[in-house]
């Protein structure tokens, strides 16, 4: 029997979720909700889904799916995910899992109580190149990580499409999660700068001192009028380093210098891998371990410190 999924939020990213679910043989969408009922109905018609409406909680009560994907705006994530968990329904919650660490706490507690769980949508934990980088670090080949730098620039339509969410919460949250994962610890002394001050269409830089000794340096910009510069990661470690440019290369330096052909890693279907993992956890009755609600909480604590450094709590 297919694992039955519901979707909250049939916007741009909700539709990406629907496309990947269609590629998973043992998963099926049984309900779609969107505050904008036309969006829910259009998506339901396109995917042959019978139950749709404006209120995901009504639909969850009525259709009793095995899991729900919450791809509505960040402000709605905690109340919707809490309601799902109360109904015993596991939730894949898009990033940011919550708007603040304190808002996230009841959800982290509900997840810990179980049996229904939260899988935070930190999709890069499911990306083949990122997993390869984490494996190289984990192998000890380049030694302890001394610095983690990342940039994630987006075109300036983001400043218009997402006026209600800070670029740190929307875009940099991915790199905060990568830094937590790849350095193996959280960070303190978080400082942020933005230019122009207070603008959505801006460049933001964050530095921090990781508690495993790594210095963090993260940048995100929503200023590019056209195509933005590609995402990059640079890691400096005691016996080498790694440079990664999304879609182009992974280069390892130091004792074992090499270039890793991204084609060798296969297609980078990170969202497909993430949703497949959600389906696997539901089917196997397993709690997520690749990324957890506690990991997402740790990221929100750093993001909160960065916002506070900008005076934007
Ligand atoms: N993992 C990633 O890389 C990634 C990329 C893009 C977006 N996202 C996340 O996905 C989520 C949605 O982003 P988007 O770009 O699709 O935004 P969007 O604005 O295109 O879509 C959001 C949809 O949610 C609907 N909605 C609002 N309140 C709702 C509610 N209470 N119940 C049901 N539906 C509701 C809106 O009507 C809209 O159709 C955000 O949390 C965003 O951060 C993640």
């Amino acid at each position: 029997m297919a694992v039955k999924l519901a979707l909250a939020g049939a916007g741009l990213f909700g539709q990406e979720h629907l496309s990947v679910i269609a590629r998973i043989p043992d998963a099926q969408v049984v309900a779609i909700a969107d505050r904008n009922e036309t969006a829910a109905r259009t998506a339901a018609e396109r995917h042959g889904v019978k139950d749709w409406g404006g209120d995901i909680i009504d639909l969850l009560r009525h259709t009793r799916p095995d899991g729900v994907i919450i791809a509505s705006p960040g402000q709605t994530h905690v109340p919707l995910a809490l309601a799902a968990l109360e109904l015993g329904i596991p939730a894949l919650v898009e990033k940011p899992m919550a708007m603040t660490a304190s808002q996230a706490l009841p959800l982290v507690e509900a997840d810990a109580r179980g049996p229904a769980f939260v899988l935070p949508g930190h999709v890069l934990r499911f990306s083949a190149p990122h997993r390869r980088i984490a494996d190289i670090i984990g192998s000890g080949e380049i030694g302890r990580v001394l610095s983690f730098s990342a940039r994630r620039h987006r075109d300036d339509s983001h400043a218009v499409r997402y006026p209600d969410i800070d670029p740190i919460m929307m875009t940099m949250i991915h790199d905060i999660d990568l830094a937590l994962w790849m350095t193996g610890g959280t960070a303190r002394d978080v400082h942020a700068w933005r230019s122009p001050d207070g603008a959505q269409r801006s460049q933001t830089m964050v530095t921090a001192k990781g508690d495993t000794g790594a210095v963090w340096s993260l940048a995100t910009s929503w200023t590019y009028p056209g195509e933005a510069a590609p995402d990059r990661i640079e890691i400096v470690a005691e016996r080498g380093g790694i440079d990664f440019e999304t879609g182009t290369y992974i280069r390892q330096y130091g004792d074992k210098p090499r270039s890793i052909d991204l084609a060798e890693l296969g297609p980078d279907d990170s969202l497909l891998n993430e949703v497949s993992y959600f389906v696997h956890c539901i089917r196997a009755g397993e709690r997520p371990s690749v990324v957890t609600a506690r990991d997402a909480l740790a990221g929100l604590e750093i993001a909160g410190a960065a916002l506070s450094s900008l005076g934007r709590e």
Side-chain angles (χ1 to χ4, degrees):
M1 272 246 296
V3 167
K4 291 187 282 173
L5 299 176
L7 173 74
L12 285 174
F13 213 60
Q15 292 179 53
E16 297 275 329
H17 277 281
L18 291 171
S19 303
V20 302
I21 297 167
R23 295 169 61 196
I24 303 175
D26 63 341
Q28 177 195 3
V29 183
V30 296
I32 299 178
D34 196 295
R35 267 284 150 80
N36 170 352
E37 295 208 14
T38 309
R41 193 189 64 224
T42 307
E45 283 172 0
R46 188 173 304 132
H47 291 270
V49 174
K50 188 167 61 68
D51 286 300
W52 57 268
D55 186 337
I56 186 67
I57 300 168
D58 276 356
L59 280 176
L60 293 180
R61 286 205 185 97
H62 167 63
T63 59
R64 291 280 161 179
D66 303 308
V68 60
I69 295 176
I70 300 179
S72 44
Q75 295 82 350
T76 65
H77 291 175
V78 170
L80 298 185
L82 272 176
L85 264 59
E86 272 164 28
L87 292 167
I89 298 170
L92 190 173
V93 184
E94 261 313 327
K95 59 83 203 165
M97 187 178 76
M99 297 307 288
T100 64
S102 57
Q103 267 180 23
L105 271 178
L107 191 53
V108 173
E109 286 162 8
D111 168 77
R113 277 195 300 277
F117 60 81
V118 170
L119 174 64
H122 284 299
V123 68
L124 298 178
R125 299 246 189 174
F126 298 88
S127 137
H130 292 86
R131 293 188 70 81
R132 174 59 73 90
I133 294 168
D135 286 347
I136 295 169
I137 296 169
S139 73
E141 263 175 40
I142 58 170
R144 192 167 62 94
V145 174
L146 302 180
S147 79
F148 178 92
S149 312
R151 78 172 192 204
R152 188 169 304 276
H153 300 333
R154 294 293 177 264
D155 67 72
D156 61 1
S157 72
H158 275 61
V160 179
R161 268 172 58 200
Y162 305 112
D164 301 328
I165 182 160
D166 194 278
I168 291 175
M169 298 298 284
M170 186 68 192
T171 313
M172 193 184 280
I173 197 79
H174 283 298
D175 298 297
I176 292 173
D177 184 59
L178 291 177
L180 288 166
W181 180 28
M182 293 183 180
T183 68
T186 187
R188 56 189 156 76
D189 297 340
V190 180
H191 295 284
W193 291 265
R194 175 162 292 161
S195 182
D197 280 342
Q200 286 293 88
R201 189 180 181 286
S202 57
Q203 156 85 338
T204 307
M205 299 193 71
V206 168
T207 57
K209 184 76 202 282
D211 60 9
T212 57
V215 179
W216 298 18
S217 162
L218 313 176
T220 196
S221 159
W222 284 4
T223 55
Y224 288 74
E227 188 188 350
D231 301 341
R232 278 198 185 145
I233 293 176
E234 284 181 23
I235 292 164
V236 177
E238 273 175 327
R239 294 198 311 281
I242 298 171
D243 284 4
F244 168 56
E245 184 171 293
T246 296
T248 315
Y249 57 77
I250 300 175
R251 290 190 194 122
Q252 182 175 335
Y253 301 94
D255 293 342
K256 294 190 179 169
R258 60 183 158 155
S259 206
I260 296 167
D261 182 3
L262 296 185
E264 199 185 280
L265 304 178
D268 189 15
D269 273 330
S270 45
L271 189 64
L272 176 67
N273 297 341
E274 177 191 87
V275 179
S276 300
Y277 180 67
F278 183 52
V279 168
H280 160 81
C281 288
I282 292 170
R283 190 177 279 294
E286 232 174 78
R287 297 184 62 74
S289 56
V290 172
V291 59
T292 66
R294 283 216 166 270
D295 294 325
L297 173 64
L300 289 167
E301 282 165 353
I302 305 280
L307 288 171
S308 147
S309 164
L310 289 176
R312 285 174 69 98
E313 293 107 310

